[in-house]
């Protein structure tokens, strides 16, 4: 399962999101997190339809989106989304 985290360097909520995702990765060791900077990774951000940071996208094994959160997600939201991706 994979989680894509779209962030920007000037984004205060992105710092909070990193902390939530760090907790999730400790609880789900198989989790792979890809952090993309929307200013640097513009093509990927456009392809994913990113309108705001932070945005967290959870993908299943077929790379289909099963969850998207704009803003800071709760740990519970992330864990439920990861369960849907299995």
């Amino acid at each position: 399962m994979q989680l894509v985290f779209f962030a920007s360097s000037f984004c205060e909520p992105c710092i909070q999101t990193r902390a939530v995702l760090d907790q999730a990765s400790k609880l789900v060791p198989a989790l792979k997190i890809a952090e993309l900077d929307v200013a640097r990774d513009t093509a990927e951000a456009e392809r994913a339809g990113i309108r705001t940071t932070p945005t967290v996208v959870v993908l299943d094994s077929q790379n289909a989106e099963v969850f998207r959160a704009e803003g800071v997600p709760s740990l519970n939201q992330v864990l439920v989304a990861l369960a849907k991706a299995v």
Side-chain angles (χ1 to χ4, degrees):
M1 79 192 75
Q2 183 177 1
L3 184 148
V4 184
F5 171 37
F6 291 92
S8 54
S9 59
F10 54 85
C11 167
E12 183 68 31
C14 293
I15 295 168
Q16 297 167 344
T17 300
R18 274 186 204 94
V20 170
L21 298 182
D22 184 54
Q23 287 179 308
S25 68
K26 289 176 181 166
L27 295 170
V28 184
L31 175 62
K32 292 181 176 79
I33 299 174
E35 182 173 339
L36 301 177
D37 185 303
V38 294
R40 186 182 62 237
D41 303 302
T42 55
E44 289 89 344
E46 285 179 25
R47 203 171 17 256
I50 302 305
R51 298 180 310 231
T52 186
T53 57
T55 297
V56 173
V57 178
V58 175
L59 305 170
D60 67 12
S61 61
Q62 314 300 303
N63 283 330
E65 184 177 316
V66 296
F67 174 79
R68 178 180 290 232
E70 294 179 343
V72 181
S74 69
L75 178 59
N76 202 34
Q77 284 177 309
V78 172
L79 295 175
V80 168
L82 293 174
K84 288 181 184 179
V86 175

